[in-house]
Amino acid sequence: MFNTPFDRYDDLPATARSEEVDSYDFDDAAVAPAPAGNAAPKQGRSGRGWLIALFILIAAVGSWWLIGGATPAPAAMPVPVVTAAAPLQKQVTEWDEFVGRFKATKTVEVRPQVSGQIVRVHFTDGQYVRAGAPLFTIDGRTYRAALAQAQADVARASSALSLSQANLARAQALISEDAIAATEIDRLKAEVRSNRAALQAAQAATAARSIDVGYTTVRAPISGRISDRRIDAGNLVSGGGGDSATLLTTINAVDPVYFEFTGSEALYLKAQREGLSKGNDVEIRLADEPDYRWHGKLDFTDNGLDANSGTIRARAVVANQGGVLAPGLFGRMRLATGGTRSALLVPDTAITTDQTRKQVLVVAKDGTVAARTVELGPQVGSLRVIEKGLKPTDRVIIKGVQMAMPGQKVRAQPGRIEASAPQPRTPEAQPVSRAASATLAS
């Protein structure tokens, strides 16, 4: 229609078109120059289809090689191997724990009873002293002089009393002869009573002066560990007792000591319902100790709860042989309040957490893993008491927990849960407090 080669090709008869295609040389057509004018090279439709088919075949083979031929089929994942064991059934003792401080059973502030100058100190700071041991000596010359004066007053009063008694005896001898007036007898009797009272007053003054002389030596009122001296020899101190007197030092009783703690209202009610009272055993450990090595007995419970905090104050008496426990030390105490009961225990490492829920993984007979939500109880060493959610016949995964998932198949090896007894700590195994800095030793 437009006088193109294709139009001319379509106008040819079918036989002529077939002959023309058969006689067409693809190689010559690829390199032959284009004819001048409007003439164009003749190309067959079947040649182009063959090229397209070849291209598709090459692309399919390449895709098969890249996708299927080069990458091997994934191998089956191996079945995880875990260790499972039945929960350990043991009798456990439940404890309630408290935090408190140690306190001396007796604390005394040493103050002088008389004023004067300190002339001697008889102790070393921090040493253990016994009751009655001398601690300070105060200059007592003025007090001894006052004592001597009081003793002289006693002698004077005694002499006057003896004279009045003799006069009364002579006067009474004259009564039978009616040689003395009755009023004179009465006067002599009154004089005797007056002189006797004066003698008693002088004797009391002598005793007071004697006590003052004794107070010039300040002695330890109790046995215990003494603090440092607050006053050195040569200083003047004020006596008289009370807060106005000069503080010389303090003494704390060493053995036994108190452990004071506070408990909540709920724990107080629990202890009352379970019949806890004085004499119940307690166990205490210090901040650097792994075991409860200090033992004592419940000694005192306050008569009311603190309205501000809702807690009640209590106290235990603890033996302190060696004087290791010092007033003010913190300690953690446990009190047996739940008695003894049977419980199921699993390793604490076998417990997993799913958001707010605690779980353990158990293995069925066919090797399928299942998760059990449990309620935890107190910890017993490396084991944990399971209150609810577990049966004695369950097989709990204790090793390989991280390789097991609920619904997955595993191969469970038999294991055993054991409660290891606490081993005594040797001196070499005791925790060592590290210093803040160090230097090379010469």
Side-chain angles (χ1 to χ4, degrees), residues 114 143-144 146-148 150-151 203-216:
V114 295
Y143 297 102
R144 286 192 292 271
L147 175 60
Q151 290 173 343
Q203 290 173 340
T206 301
R209 301 291 81 80
S210 178
I211 292 174
D212 289 342
V213 171
Y215 283 155
T216 58

Side-chain angles (χ1 to χ4, degrees), residues 102-171:
F102 288 97
K103 183 180 179 181
T105 53
K106 296 179 182 179
T107 299
V108 176
E109 293 182 344
V110 180
R111 299 177 186 269
Q113 295 286 339
V114 295
S115 302
Q117 184 184 34
I118 299 292
V119 295
R120 189 176 179 184
V121 179
H122 300 275
F123 66 93
T124 303
D125 295 347
Q127 78 175 74
Y128 181 86
V129 296
R130 295 192 176 275
L135 303 179
F136 298 90
T137 298
I138 300 174
D139 186 5
R141 290 175 294 179
T142 56
Y143 297 102
R144 286 192 292 271
L147 175 60
Q149 182 178 359
Q151 290 173 343
D153 292 340
V154 170
R156 184 183 303 111
S158 179
S159 177
L161 176 60
S162 299
L163 178 59
S164 61
Q165 288 176 342
N167 292 335
L168 177 60
R170 285 193 294 268

Side-chain angles (χ1 to χ4, degrees), residues 412-435:
Q413 296 179 344
R416 185 178 180 184
I417 302 175
E418 295 182 352
S420 57
Q423 298 296 328
R425 297 174 64 90
T426 61
E428 293 78 6
Q430 292 291 338
V432 179
S433 177
R434 301 298 180 184

